[in-house]
Amino acid sequence: MSLTVDSLKQIITDRLSAVVAEVEDVSGGCGQAFVVIIVSDVFKGKNKLMRHRLVNNALKDEIAVIHAFTQKSFTVEEWEKQGGKLA
Amino acid sequence: MFKLFNRIPKSSFRSGFQPRLTYQPVSIRFISTEIKDAIQKAVDSSKIVLFMKGTPEFPQCGFSRASIQILGQQGVDPEKFAAYNVLEDQELREGIKEFSNWPTIPQLYVDGEFIGGCDIIMSMAKSGELAELLENSDCLVPEEPELESNVQPQERN
């Protein structure tokens, strides 16, 4: 299975009810390293560890096949507060 | 990047996964009790435990390097720190992911409790939570008042 920016974006949007899913391929093209920003209210009331676990579980199969995965997660409120735009 | 080693002498880092387990040539989905026990022992071996790729002196992955750097900057006491190189032990490398229910390496434990990976370490460092956690767990290099008294009066400003 090879992941692309678009396929990963779609997966995140679907599985985590994300209103914003920014995916950046930092692998230089081999599809092995991604940096993602996820904005979703499923993160409400959860601390960092819980959020990461949520994402890790939702993307279990995807993360298993890539080499590097960096995630940042925000609720809609946190995202807007720091000046992020909703898509 | 070498800041860490000014504060943490490399001799104080333990590496390697002890005890070494015999390799079982079967593909196992769930880690065996022995591996689990060995990892638990590793987790309990020090107040701060980092499972990483490479060693503190020679990290072999940017995320492990960043994590080590941050711990160094925070002033982690080397006496209370242990690092395990997952690249040296395939069983540890796979086992730790299941043990922590965490898919990536590095992984940080403080006082036997899983804290998170590189993203979490970095954001906790930024917010000050990491300093607080390490301070509360008594993991930082103690202040050295005797250094102060060694300073000659004329050197004081």
Side-chain angles (χ1 to χ4, degrees):
Chain A
M1 183 177 60
S2 96
L3 282 170
T4 63
V5 167
D6 288 336
S7 66
L8 192 56
K9 203 179 263 190
Q10 194 58 49
I11 289 167
I12 290 169
T13 307
D14 293 347
R15 294 191 201 155
L16 290 161
S17 326
V19 289
V20 175
E22 284 181 14
V23 177
E24 194 189 344
D25 184 343
V26 291
S27 68
C30 73
Q32 288 264 301
F34 292 95
V35 173
V36 307
I37 293 174
I38 305 170
V39 180
S40 168
D41 276 344
V42 297
F43 299 131
K44 249 185 196 167
K46 294 189 167 63
N47 69 17
K48 272 183 210 85
L49 184 59
M50 288 155 79
R51 290 176 185 199
H52 279 243
R53 283 210 192 281
L54 197 70
V55 174
N56 291 343
N57 281 333
L59 304 178
K60 201 172 189 162
D61 297 338
E62 287 71 25
I63 291 175
V65 299
I66 60 183
H67 172 71
F69 184 80
T70 299
Q71 53 174 298
K72 284 199 173 123
S73 40
F74 304 94
T75 62
V76 172
E77 197 187 335
E78 291 165 351
W79 181 245
E80 286 178 327
K81 206 181 258 176
Q82 61 141 44
K85 287 197 184 80
L86 296 175
Chain B
M1 115 176 33
F2 297 107
K3 238 176 210 166
L4 170 73
F5 302 111
N6 298 335
R7 306 183 93 151
I8 303 183
K10 63 178 179 181
S11 58
S12 60
F13 284 98
R14 268 166 275 166
S15 66
F17 184 51
Q18 302 294 335
R20 219 164 241 290
L21 299 158
T22 49
Y23 176 67
Q24 292 173 306
V26 276
S27 148
I28 31 170
R29 170 66 189 82
F30 295 104
I31 52 174
S32 70
T33 330
E34 292 116 281
I35 296 173
K36 213 173 159 186
D37 288 349
I39 293 176
Q40 187 64 56
K41 233 176 243 170
V43 165
D44 294 335
S45 65
S46 211
K47 282 181 88 73
I48 308 176
V49 175
L50 186 72
F51 295 93
M52 63 181 292
K53 289 183 180 173
T55 62
E57 304 90 81
F58 299 106
Q60 291 188 42
C61 159
F63 299 100
S64 291
R65 181 189 306 274
S67 302
I68 278 287
Q69 246 177 293
I70 289 171
L71 292 176
Q73 285 161 1
Q74 299 280 333
V76 158
D77 187 345
E79 299 289 316
K80 294 169 180 166
F81 179 88
Y84 292 86
N85 180 4
V86 303
L87 298 180
E88 278 185 355
D89 196 306
Q90 189 59 30
E91 284 179 327
L92 174 62
R93 186 175 181 173
E94 289 314 312
I96 190 68
K97 295 180 184 177
E98 189 176 320
F99 183 90
S100 310
N101 185 23
W102 195 259
T104 52
I105 288 154
Q107 298 185 4
L108 177 69
Y109 279 82
V110 174
D111 272 334
E113 196 187 329
F114 180 64
I115 303 303
C118 185
D119 288 346
I120 290 185
I121 297 172
M122 284 205 283
S123 88
M124 285 178 77
K126 217 185 257 174
S127 70
E129 285 167 84
L130 187 61
E132 200 178 315
L133 171 73
L134 295 172
E135 177 92 66
N136 291 343
S137 313
D138 192 25
C139 293
L140 299 179
V141 177
E143 305 271 339
E144 289 174 46
E146 70 269 23
L147 275 182
E148 182 79 9
S149 60
N150 285 342
V151 177
Q152 296 302 306
Q154 63 266 30
E155 285 172 0
R156 288 178 191 266
N157 287 323

